[in-house]
Amino acid sequence: MMKLLVSGLQWASFMLASSLVAPIAIAGLFGFSEVDTAMFVQRTMFVLGVSGLIQALFGHRLPISEGPAGLWWGVFAIYAGFAGTIYASDTEALRSLEGGMIVSGIFFIVLAAFGLLNRLATLFTPTVTFVYLLLLILQLSGSFMKGMLGLPNEAGTVQPMMMLGSFITLLLAYYFSAHRLNWIRQYSVIISFACGWLIFIILGQAPAITDHGQGWIQLPHLFVFGPPLFDSGTIVTAMFITLLLTANMLASIRVMEEVIKQVTGSKPKGSYRRAGLAAGVNQILGGGFSAIGSVPISGAAGFVAQTRNASIQSFLVGSLLIAVLSICPPAMNILAALPAPVGYAVTFVIFSKMAGFAFAELDKEKNKEQSRMISGIALLTGVGAMFVPAAAFTEFPVAVTSILNNGLIFGTLTAIAIEQWLIFFHRKKSKAGNY
């Protein structure tokens, strides 16, 4: 029982560290007060915890944690700029986003009900999965490095003490992940978090625990920003976002299947249809509770690979802990005081293992020359898009911007498009040769 609880707490720590940045950043974009920010974070964590339970019990049934979808994060950022122009106020823009997430949920359910997700899953060949994973690592690398250096901050410069604390935490995380004792390797994530937090306390860089006077229990409310708005622009955007979130979800399921095979020796089979139905419910929860739409995150595969723990029971305990702690403001205030550089340093170690999975996928391809060509074009496209300023796409529709301004999605879609075109071309050439 104690082993299960500790494993669950380790999952909860990982979920928290990988999910706190998005709601805090979005709250800053919309100018939320400290209390409103705390409540937004709590609602988001509640949705993530419940979403993880729904997927693990009724959806794909794999230990894949839910995180704030980067695509929704980007759309929130774009809509923050619409306040006062397209929308009369921040509140109206947020109500439109509530509606967008609900529409996305409905569209997810429709795709799953008609069996379209299984067809989309066939597009994720080893080459496409390689491109997706490598772009994911490259896209996050900037955030990891900035976070470990104490950026961004008011001064706009690297914080030497934070950099020192991050470096020590990083070394300890790698040490624990490769320790000769099995139990230390298995619990390396939570041990690294604890040691990193202690280091930052010693260095005087740990943030103070704040009390916003919310009491001991704070149940999440529905439609905090008001009734959802369903305008045509948001509906179209939500439909495009759903298709892109589907790509994220399918890639995460496929990678986790491979990792569990490495850890346990047997490959599970996640249900794409059930995962799609569960994802639809989770998007509706995100809109209903005025939070951020979630998506299964690929980083969970790195977590399982590092801890060598593919137990679904441990994951369920972790998700339940996140959901329960989210309605207890004092507990969330303590957990939210985890120094951000500690989270970035420990997560850096987890994601560094993802590179191995990426190249292992590429090794599965029989036509190496074609695979390398597709990968080269897609990686150049995706990485190149990461260097284009977000402001460069202000004249484009939101749906188009969400693709062009996201190197991960743009590069992955490029890989899918090129590979499918080559498959079609070879089939057509083969048929012509038979006549």
Side-chain angles (χ1 to χ4, degrees):
M1 183 65 183
M2 181 56 69
K3 182 179 179 182
L4 182 63
L5 183 60
V6 175
S7 297
L9 186 59
Q10 184 167 241
W11 263 113
S13 302
F14 169 69
M15 295 176 199
L16 189 76
S18 59
S19 303
L20 271 178
V21 176
I24 292 173
I26 290 172
L29 289 171
F30 284 91
F32 288 180
S33 65
E34 283 192 12
V35 174
D36 288 338
T37 298
M39 292 178 67
F40 185 59
V41 170
Q42 288 169 20
R43 288 196 306 274
T44 298
M45 298 311 298
F46 175 78
V47 168
L48 296 181
V50 173
S51 297
L53 290 171
I54 290 173
Q55 281 286 13
L57 292 171
F58 310 107
H60 49 60
R61 297 182 181 176
L62 298 171
I64 308 176
S65 55
E66 295 280 317
L71 286 164
W72 278 123
W73 184 354
V75 173
F76 267 87
I78 294 169
Y79 271 58
F82 288 166
T85 54
I86 295 176
Y87 298 102
S89 62
D90 285 337
T91 301
E92 191 171 305
L94 289 165
R95 288 172 59 197
S96 183
L97 287 164
E98 288 177 347
M101 283 181 273
I102 292 172
V103 171
S104 175
I106 295 171
F107 194 48
F108 250 121
I109 292 171
V110 170
L111 287 174
F114 285 93
L116 297 177
L117 292 183
N118 288 324
R119 295 182 182 180
L120 290 172
T122 61
L123 300 177
F124 282 82
T125 62
T127 299
V128 173
T129 305
F130 163 75
V131 170
Y132 172 84
L133 286 175
L134 207 56
L135 286 174
L136 176 67
I137 297 165
L138 294 172
Q139 183 162 285
L140 292 174
S141 62
S143 298
F144 289 155
M145 289 303 298
K146 289 177 184 177
M148 288 189 291
L149 296 175
L151 298 170
N153 54 59
E154 292 181 2
T157 57
V158 172
Q159 305 296 299
M161 295 303 289
M162 283 196 175
M163 182 174 69
L164 174 63
S166 298
F167 181 67
I168 297 172
T169 303
L170 188 68
L171 291 179
L172 286 174
Y174 272 113
Y175 171 72
F176 293 135
S177 68
H179 201 278
R180 61 185 180 83
L181 295 179
N182 182 60
W183 71 270
I184 291 182
R185 289 199 307 272
Q186 187 172 355
Y187 300 112
S188 60
V189 173
I190 194 168
I191 294 172
S192 301
F193 276 128
C195 290
W197 201 339
L198 180 61
I199 289 166
F200 270 73
I201 290 174
I202 294 171
L203 294 175
Q205 298 298 315
I209 298 172
T210 56
D211 181 9
H212 301 292
Q214 297 166 274
W216 283 96
I217 299 295
Q218 179 77 50
L219 295 175
H221 298 289
L222 290 170
F223 303 121
V224 173
F225 306 122
L229 291 177
F230 299 97
D231 57 81
S232 58
T234 303
I235 290 172
V236 173
T237 299
M239 292 175 70
F240 274 100
I241 292 296
T242 304
L243 291 173
L244 301 178
L245 288 176
T246 298
N248 273 25
M249 181 184 73
L250 296 176
S252 297
I253 292 173
R254 193 177 186 285
V255 173
M256 181 58 80
E257 288 173 346
E258 294 296 328
V259 170
I260 292 178
K261 181 181 178 181
Q262 293 178 19
V263 173
T264 65
S266 60
K267 184 177 179 179
K269 185 64 178 175
S271 170
Y272 299 125
R273 183 174 181 275
R274 289 199 308 267
L277 292 171
V281 173
N282 293 343
Q283 295 301 309
I284 293 172
L285 284 175
F289 284 105
S290 305
I292 309 172
S294 66
V295 68
I297 62 172
S298 302
F303 176 90
V304 170
Q306 178 170 324
T307 61
R308 310 296 292 178
N309 181 7
S311 167
I312 193 70
Q313 287 81 10
S314 299
F315 173 74
L316 289 171
V317 171
S319 296
L320 183 62
L321 280 173
I322 288 293
V324 172
L325 291 174
S326 69
I327 64 175
C328 179
M332 281 300 298
N333 292 337
I334 293 172
L335 294 173
L338 172 73
V342 173
Y344 282 117
V346 177
T347 311
F348 181 98
V349 176
I350 293 171
F351 272 86
S352 66
K353 296 181 182 295
M354 302 286 285
F357 304 148
F359 288 104
E361 286 293 314
L362 197 63
D363 289 340
K364 295 176 183 177
E365 288 286 8
K366 294 179 180 179
N367 190 339
K368 303 291 185 185
E369 186 177 347
Q370 177 177 299
S371 181
R372 289 166 184 161
M373 182 194 72
I374 295 170
S375 300
I377 297 172
L379 288 172
L380 277 171
T381 303
V383 175
M386 295 177 191
F387 288 94
V388 179
F393 299 108
T394 52
E395 300 300 320
F396 288 81
V398 177
V400 177
T401 302
S402 63
I403 297 175
L404 298 179
N405 195 33
N406 189 317
L408 172 63
I409 294 299
F410 193 29
T412 303
L413 290 179
T414 300
I416 291 174
I418 295 173
E419 186 170 56
Q420 291 303 307
W421 182 82
L422 288 173
I423 290 172
F424 172 78
F425 175 77
H426 289 317
R427 282 178 181 171
K428 189 174 181 181
K429 187 176 180 181
S430 177
K431 287 180 180 179
N434 292 331
Y435 290 105

